[in-house]
Amino acid sequence: MPDDVWTGAPYSLPVPKIDATVANIARAWNYLVGGKDNFEADREAARQLIKVAPIIGIAARLSRAYLRRAVTYLVGEGIGQFLDIGTGLPTAGNTHEIAQSLAPASRVVYVDNDPVVISHVRALVAPFPEGITSYIDADSRDPASILAEAGKTLDFAEPVGVMLFDLLNFIEDDEVAASIVCALMGAVPSGSYLAIMHPASDLDPALLEAERRWNQLAAQRVRLRSGEQVAAFLTGLDLVEPGLVSIAQWRPGPDDEVSAE
């Protein structure tokens, strides 16, 4: 079986080289959401970020609830296939788990090129018998390759839910980030959706210091953007109400936190 497709069967992957002494965003975020796939360098980096900007710890918790709400909404709108780019480490409540629990025949393609994530690909829970969960090892800056490979699992004649959660903030060049969104949304048919999460530099002034601190600690540089800059990536798209808001404010349920303060 090729290493870009996973359907629950065991197969061999090359062992990636992982430096446990350098903070990694996938592992640090895994720590922030309560996961165990992280090292001390990741935990220390995460603790430093929270010390500088406590809102980061809150946002990590809220992000999982937002993913659940977004996927649930899309399934309710009839979306039965998802392209999740920049998936990160597997934790509880992933896109395929949520979608296939609601619509067992859902097809989900994950995309990442982080060696840490690749090493944990087998940790994904086996999909429902009716559904498919696939994995592509690819760079988000090459959407043409992603779309070509994803087309082996997804039917691009039918609507797709494109998930870009904490991805574009690792694309420092605005034009490149915008081109990724344009290429992806230009390839999916009418009726498709884009779900996005991007840390906002104007949400809390402390986040800018956290950005600086992270870029000192890790090899994967982060670029925060204002809400206006993120909105520019969505030009030409119709926004689902309430539009581009903080993740806590996007269609919260009765049991969800509604403030990041």
Side-chain angles (χ1 to χ4, degrees):
M1 179 177 292
D3 65 5
D4 63 345
V5 177
W6 182 85
T7 54
Y11 62 96
S12 177
L13 283 175
V15 178
K17 295 180 180 179
I18 298 173
D19 186 350
T21 66
V22 178
N24 171 277
I25 186 59
R27 296 192 308 251
W29 194 255
N30 175 265
Y31 170 73
L32 287 170
V33 298
K36 298 181 179 179
D37 296 315
N38 47 74
F39 299 113
E40 180 55 31
D42 311 306
R43 296 189 285 272
E44 176 57 26
R47 287 192 289 263
Q48 288 195 38
L49 295 184
I50 293 176
K51 183 176 180 180
V52 169
I55 194 173
I56 290 177
I58 301 171
R61 182 174 68 248
L62 295 177
S63 70
R64 303 308 294 177
Y66 169 54
L67 174 63
R68 171 180 50 77
R69 296 197 305 273
V71 174
T72 299
Y73 172 82
L74 294 180
V75 171
E77 290 297 299
I79 299 298
Q81 46 185 5
F82 296 82
L83 180 58
D84 187 334
I85 304 177
T87 177
L89 285 168
T91 53
N94 295 284
T95 297
H96 76 287
E97 294 174 304
I98 301 165
Q100 291 172 353
S101 70
L102 298 169
S106 297
R107 298 185 175 197
V108 179
V109 174
Y110 289 114
V111 182
D112 212 303
N113 70 338
D114 187 325
V116 176
V117 174
I118 293 171
S119 71
H120 286 77
V121 67
R122 290 185 186 176
L124 288 173
V125 179
F128 283 55
E130 301 96 323
I132 297 176
T133 303
S134 301
Y135 188 93
I136 299 173
D137 177 4
D139 192 314
S140 62
R141 290 165 292 190
D142 186 7
S145 294
I146 290 174
L147 292 165
E149 288 298 317
K152 298 175 182 178
T153 299
L154 307 179
D155 179 1
F156 285 113
E158 298 294 331
V160 178
V162 179
M163 318 295 287
L164 302 181
F165 278 50
D166 273 332
L167 172 74
L168 297 178
N169 45 303
F170 290 97
I171 308 296
E172 292 190 82
D173 188 288
D174 288 346
E175 291 187 5
V176 174
S179 70
I180 291 171
V181 175
C182 183
L184 293 172
M185 299 314 295
V188 295
S190 175
S192 296
Y193 289 83
L194 169 66
I196 187 172
M197 184 170 70
H198 190 303
S201 58
D202 49 2
L203 181 63
D204 186 325
L207 289 173
L208 291 174
E209 174 58 23
E211 173 190 48
R212 188 189 69 80
R213 184 72 60 88
W214 174 263
N215 288 340
Q216 290 177 330
L217 295 169
Q220 305 146 299
R221 292 182 59 82
V222 67
R223 160 84 188 283
L224 300 188
R225 294 181 173 92
S226 68
E228 182 178 355
Q229 289 173 309
V230 175
F233 298 147
L234 310 179
T235 300
L237 300 179
D238 296 325
L239 302 187
V240 174
E241 291 294 335
L244 186 63
V245 295
S246 71
I247 55 177
Q249 299 298 327
W250 198 85
R251 296 175 176 259
D255 299 323
D256 290 318
E257 297 180 62
V258 296
S259 175
E261 298 298 321

